[in-house]
Structure formats: C-alpha cells, structure tokens
Amino acid sequence: AAVRGLGEEFLLPRGFIKVHACGRYIHGALDCVETLMARRPLSPGSIEAVRVRTYAMAASLGHADVRSPFGARFSLPFAVASLLCHGRSGLDNYDAAALADPRIQALARRVEVVEDPDFTRAFPARQPTEVTMVLTDGTEMSEHADFHRGEAELPHSPDAVRRKFVALAGPVWGRERAESLYDRVLDLERVPDVASLLE
C-alpha cells in the first residue's frame, strides 16, 4: 500500500490553491459572485438580496454576526458582502476596517445561505454552489459552480496564481523582487545553485 502508484500518481497537482483569504468552503460562493460581477457592474446599493444554495459544510458558515477579523474569514455572508463592496478579493476584505464598514455589515445581513441536500450528497467529490442576486430593479442573476476555482478539476490560470503570489509577496519584498523570485522558482530545475535564490 505504501508504494502503490509510486512514480505514476502525483498528489501535488491535486492540491487546492486559495486565492480568497477566507475559509475554503466559502470559495465557491465567491467564485460565483466574481462571475456575476464580470457580467455587469454591481454596486452594493443595487443589491436587494443574495441567496446562496450550497453544501452543508459551507452552509454552516452562513452566520452574518461577525465580531472580529478572524471571524470575518469564516462568515460566508460577510465574505460575499465584502467582495461586492471592495469590488475585488484581497487581504483587506477581512481586516478591521472592513469589519467596521457599515455597507459591508448591511449587505451581509441581506445574504441568505441555505443547505441543498443534493449538494451535500455530492460533496466532497464536487463542491456545488449556486448564487442568485436579486437587484433593486427586480433583475435576478444566478451562477452555479460545481468546483471551487483552484481545485484540480478547475485550476487557476497561471496569471491568477502569479497575481496572488505578487499580491502577498510584493508588500514584503517589493513588486519587482517578488516577480523575479516567482520566475526563478518556476524555473527551479534550471537554476544551477539554489543559493542564488537567497541573494
């Protein structure tokens, strides 16, 4: 059993790469929201309600009563509201300023999360999530996803992974140095001496 598939099955590419700075089970809803945001501009004031149907593990994070930045990372309604208010996903979506933002708090209270038993039965082989937005003009928009972006079945584009790395490493090392390091690491098999990476 210890050597079954050795040299044939590689688990590293089966890993999950997170681009959202929150609990993994929330990612499906955020992916759907990003798709809806790409369809048309969505200001927080234009949104009457957001309905999320998902599997049990994600639905368990359906509380909107958030009291700390850590708690914000494990609240699906807060994460959805913060993404819509910021217009993008980032570390600051869950910081103290976001927590104190009355727009985010108000919108989070308009996000309803329900478990769909069929979605729960499909988990973990799939992570089905459906988001429906009801706009103040009466328009309804829906998006469904079976896999979180970043799963092996739905990998991120190389550009998305690079952007995430630079967004995290840039503030520490500077953008130019972060991009250089990223390129060197991706070309690691051709680096004659890894000590050069420490320079």
Side-chain angles (χ1 to χ4, degrees):
V3 297
R4 186 180 301 123
L6 187 65
E8 299 167 6
E9 181 184 14
F10 298 94
L11 297 182
L12 192 59
R14 302 284 312 164
F16 176 57
I17 297 177
K18 295 174 70 170
V19 294
H20 305 295
C22 61
R24 178 176 187 167
Y25 303 133
I26 295 172
H27 286 226
L30 297 183
D31 294 343
C32 289
V33 169
E34 285 185 330
T35 299
L36 292 171
M37 290 168 64
R39 280 192 207 151
R40 66 178 278 183
L42 292 168
S43 67
S46 72
I47 299 166
E48 184 73 30
V50 181
R51 295 193 295 265
V52 180
R53 277 196 314 136
T54 189
Y55 53 96
M57 295 295 286
S60 72
L61 303 176
H63 60 284
D65 182 26
V66 175
R67 300 176 185 215
S68 70
F70 182 80
R73 295 174 189 273
F74 297 94
S75 165
L76 195 156
F78 185 92
V80 165
S82 193
L83 173 59
L84 285 162
C85 288
H86 280 91
R88 52 159 180 75
S89 186
L91 288 175
D92 57 348
N93 286 39
Y94 306 96
D95 64 13
L99 191 66
D101 189 329
R103 298 175 313 141
I104 296 174
Q105 293 285 356
L107 185 53
R109 289 190 291 274
R110 299 198 300 273
V111 178
E112 176 192 15
V113 182
V114 296
E115 177 197 355
D116 185 311
D118 290 336
F119 289 8
T120 298
R121 282 188 286 277
F123 181 82
R126 294 184 293 123
Q127 309 92 42
T129 303
E130 184 175 276
V131 173
T132 300
M133 280 196 206
V134 182
L135 306 185
T136 53
D137 66 4
T139 303
E140 289 197 13
M141 305 166 56
S142 292
E143 182 63 26
H144 178 94
D146 276 322
F147 298 100
H148 299 161
R149 290 182 194 144
E151 296 283 357
E153 294 82 1
L154 189 61
H156 295 295
S157 70
D159 284 346
V161 177
R162 182 189 185 93
R163 281 194 307 273
K164 177 67 175 183
F165 178 84
V166 172
L168 295 175
V172 178
W173 291 322
R175 183 179 185 86
E176 186 177 323
R177 197 169 176 196
E179 288 181 339
S180 175
L181 179 59
Y182 187 87
D183 292 337
R184 300 280 298 276
V185 168
L186 283 191
D187 199 38
L188 196 57
E189 68 273 20
R190 285 185 280 279
V191 173
D193 184 350
V194 293
S196 65
L197 292 176
L198 302 178
E199 296 171 1

